[in-house]
Amino acid sequence: MDYTPVKYIIGAFEAHYPESLGVLFIHKAPWIFSGIWNIIKNWLDPVVASKIIFTKTIDELEKVIELKHIPKDLGGHDDYEWEYLEPTEELSSVPIKDSEKLAEVEKERSELIDQFIELTIKWIESNNETDSKELLNQRIELGKKLGENYTKLDPLTRNRACYDRLGQWKHLNNY
């Protein structure tokens, strides 16, 4: 086991995806993994480490996931078979190539981010509970606008993943 890349990956996830893990199940890990885990868990924040659950049997897994959602090959009842659709230039590239639109959406995003930061500072510095609540509500609405902006930005900047190619995320995007 090369620990340097593992430490790097942990650091990258902590820096770029803080508090984004709900729970991680590791099912039927090989026996050697328990020794490796004893080292790795000490590098993790204790809250994050507590979100990683090990199961060895279908009965242990069923305590946290209903059988109907566990794949058949793990002993559950879900017969969904994931398929991989090979990428092609047409199916995997950025779907909309429009540099003017991209510049417009990026400019809008930059302005929204500046407004969000400014509003956040005002909210943090607010001493009045009424003003604080109003600023928080404005901040939440601005956050929604940032989300809407991202749905415009996504098809202009991100190559399509396998879920896009399979049409499973199409309802989330405007392409």
Side-chain angles (χ1 to χ4, degrees):
M1 172 95 187
D2 190 349
Y3 291 108
T4 302
V6 174
K7 279 186 172 182
Y8 172 79
I9 291 168
I10 291 169
F13 274 100
E14 287 175 345
H16 300 288
Y17 303 98
E19 297 302 321
S20 61
L21 177 65
V23 66
L24 171 66
F25 293 101
I26 299 178
H27 186 63
K28 294 185 177 180
W31 65 269
I32 193 143
F33 190 76
S34 62
I36 295 168
W37 174 245
N38 285 330
I39 295 168
I40 293 173
K41 73 180 176 186
N42 294 313
W43 299 336
L44 299 173
D45 180 284
V47 173
V48 173
S50 72
K51 295 178 180 182
I52 300 172
I53 299 171
F54 291 86
T55 59
K56 291 187 183 296
T57 67
I58 188 67
D59 293 333
E60 290 175 349
L61 196 54
E62 189 181 10
K63 288 178 184 175
V64 288
I65 302 174
E66 293 178 50
L67 271 177
K68 68 181 181 181
H69 298 298
I70 299 172
K72 279 189 174 181
D73 62 341
L74 294 179
H77 298 159
D78 188 351
D79 59 0
Y80 174 80
E81 283 194 39
W82 189 82
E83 68 175 293
Y84 181 75
L85 183 60
E86 287 291 331
T88 63
E89 179 63 32
E90 180 185 341
L91 290 176
S92 298
S93 64
V94 173
I96 301 172
K97 294 178 178 146
D98 183 340
S99 57
E100 287 181 27
K101 180 73 174 170
L102 176 60
E104 175 188 321
V105 173
E106 285 179 332
K107 181 179 184 285
E108 176 189 17
R109 184 160 195 81
S110 178
E111 290 169 0
L112 287 169
I113 289 169
D114 289 344
Q115 292 172 24
F116 191 84
I117 291 169
E118 184 180 317
L119 198 53
T120 300
I121 291 168
K122 285 181 183 177
W123 173 61
I124 290 169
E125 292 177 343
S126 174
N127 295 323
N128 178 309
E129 187 175 335
T130 304
D131 291 346
S132 180
K133 284 182 181 180
E134 176 58 30
L135 290 166
L136 177 59
N137 288 332
Q138 289 176 22
R139 190 172 170 270
I140 290 168
E141 289 305 311
L142 202 50
K144 290 177 184 176
K145 288 181 182 177
L146 273 165
E148 291 166 4
N149 172 271
Y150 184 78
T151 62
K152 293 181 209 172
L153 184 63
D154 181 64
L156 297 164
T157 57
R158 183 179 63 83
N159 286 346
R160 305 299 88 188
C162 62
Y163 297 110
D164 296 293
R165 294 192 301 272
L166 292 169
Q168 295 175 346
W169 286 352
K170 221 171 195 163
H171 66 283
L172 299 176
N173 297 301
N174 299 326
Y175 59 91

